Amino acid sequence: MNTPQPSQVHWRKSTHSGADEGNCVEVADLNGRVGVRDSKAPAAGHLALTRRGFADLLAHLRP
């Protein structure tokens, strides 16, 4: 699988994140996987989850 370089990836924050809030995660499409990273430390790296794994994570985190 060809993973795009970080400079080519469009990272986005949740619409639930406030403009000035510091505790945000960002997600991106990584050619069939979902990238997840800390918006405060983007250079620290990211997780690459399968779409199913990302859906499972969201289901687990929902109240």
Side-chain angles (χ1 to χ4, degrees):
M1 176 180 304
N2 185 15
T3 302
Q5 295 299 315
S7 62
Q8 300 170 327
V9 175
H10 175 71
W11 292 94
R12 60 195 184 278
K13 291 182 187 178
S14 168
T15 56
H16 296 285
S17 298
D20 296 326
E21 308 248 346
N23 298 322
C24 301
V25 295
E26 296 176 315
V27 297
D29 180 5
L30 302 177
N31 289 339
R33 295 201 177 260
V34 179
V36 181
R37 72 179 184 182
D38 182 347
S39 64
K40 296 181 307 299
H46 64 273
L47 298 174
L49 304 170
T50 64
R51 294 194 181 280
R52 175 61 190 202
F54 184 66
D56 289 346
L57 175 64
L58 291 180
H60 179 74
L61 294 175
R62 284 191 182 108

